[in-house]
Amino acid sequence: MSVSVDGYIADPNDTLGGEDGNRLHHWGLHPDGETFRTDGTAGQLLAEYNETGAVVAGRRTVEIVDHWGGTHHGMPIFVPTHRPPGKTAANYPQVTYVQDGIESAMTQAKAAAGDRNVLVHGAYTAQRALEAGVLDEIQLHLIPVLLGQGRRLFDVLPREIELEIARVTNTPEATHIRYRVKR
């Protein structure tokens, strides 16, 4: 998850921050601003991202991006929610709305992923996964910008959660930090 130094993952309009709406992803984009780089650190992180086997994403996230057109880079998507899916969800057979909690969504995603990792998208979903004890690692791309307002990544947590630094990679565009959640 890309995050500004002051903890925001999106501006107040739910775009990725900055005047161009993509400021928080500049570190991984080609100059065209549309396609991801496949070279250097950005390429390595993109390859790791694409090696995951399933996605758990919040309803708000998937609905903003229209379910990524039905798959997330070929991966099935699991959406923990308290409400039945909207009508458009029926257009996407690889999208599963899970109404019995984040634990169930993660269990189903792990089964679909097999021996690969599960990617979690969305601040609220990440917070609930941490709260339930079903999130093992956090990958942050710390972007050298102060947005000053917007949607925070970890706005409300139920308790203090200890993390262990697993990897740090510095680049001119971002500091990429992978944490393990201590149990």
Side-chain angles (χ1 to χ4, degrees):
M1 183 92 59
S2 294
V3 61
S4 67
V5 171
D6 52 351
Y8 294 101
I9 60 167
D11 68 17
N13 298 320
D14 248 344
T15 58
L16 297 175
E19 289 181 19
D20 69 356
N22 239 351
R23 174 62 185 99
L24 296 179
H25 282 179
H26 283 182
W27 67 268
L29 296 174
H30 281 290
D32 67 10
E34 298 294 322
T35 57
F36 280 94
R37 294 182 2 216
T38 56
D39 61 327
T41 299
Q44 173 191 346
L45 293 168
L46 179 63
E48 290 175 9
Y49 177 86
N50 286 331
E51 288 173 6
T52 58
V55 175
V56 172
R59 184 176 187 138
R60 177 182 177 83
T61 300
V62 298
E63 290 181 353
I64 286 173
V65 298
D66 190 24
H67 304 85
W68 291 288
T71 74
H72 193 281
H73 303 284
M75 296 176 272
I77 303 164
F78 297 85
V79 184
T81 184
H82 301 291
R83 298 177 284 125
K87 292 178 184 177
T88 62
N91 299 328
Y92 307 118
Q94 286 199 47
V95 177
T96 303
Y97 278 70
V98 180
Q99 292 184 262
D100 56 344
I102 186 73
E103 297 93 339
S104 178
M106 286 295 282
T107 298
Q108 291 177 52
K110 286 181 180 182
D115 61 350
R116 296 180 293 168
N117 290 329
V118 172
L119 175 67
V120 174
H121 262 298
Y124 180 82
T125 302
Q127 291 171 35
R128 296 300 67 79
L130 282 167
E131 180 180 28
V134 295
L135 191 64
D136 298 323
E137 292 186 344
I138 299 170
Q139 174 75 45
L140 296 181
H141 311 289
L142 188 61
I143 311 305
V145 64
L146 299 168
L147 293 180
Q149 59 182 338
R151 183 170 297 281
R152 288 191 181 274
L153 177 55
F154 297 114
D155 206 17
V156 180
L157 292 172
R159 65 186 182 293
E160 183 176 302
I161 296 171
E162 291 289 330
L163 304 173
E164 173 184 21
I165 296 173
R167 179 177 73 191
V168 177
T169 305
N170 289 309
T171 67
E173 300 91 3
T175 301
H176 309 279
I177 310 167
R178 177 169 287 175
Y179 297 96
R180 281 188 203 92
V181 178
K182 287 186 170 184
R183 306 254 189 251

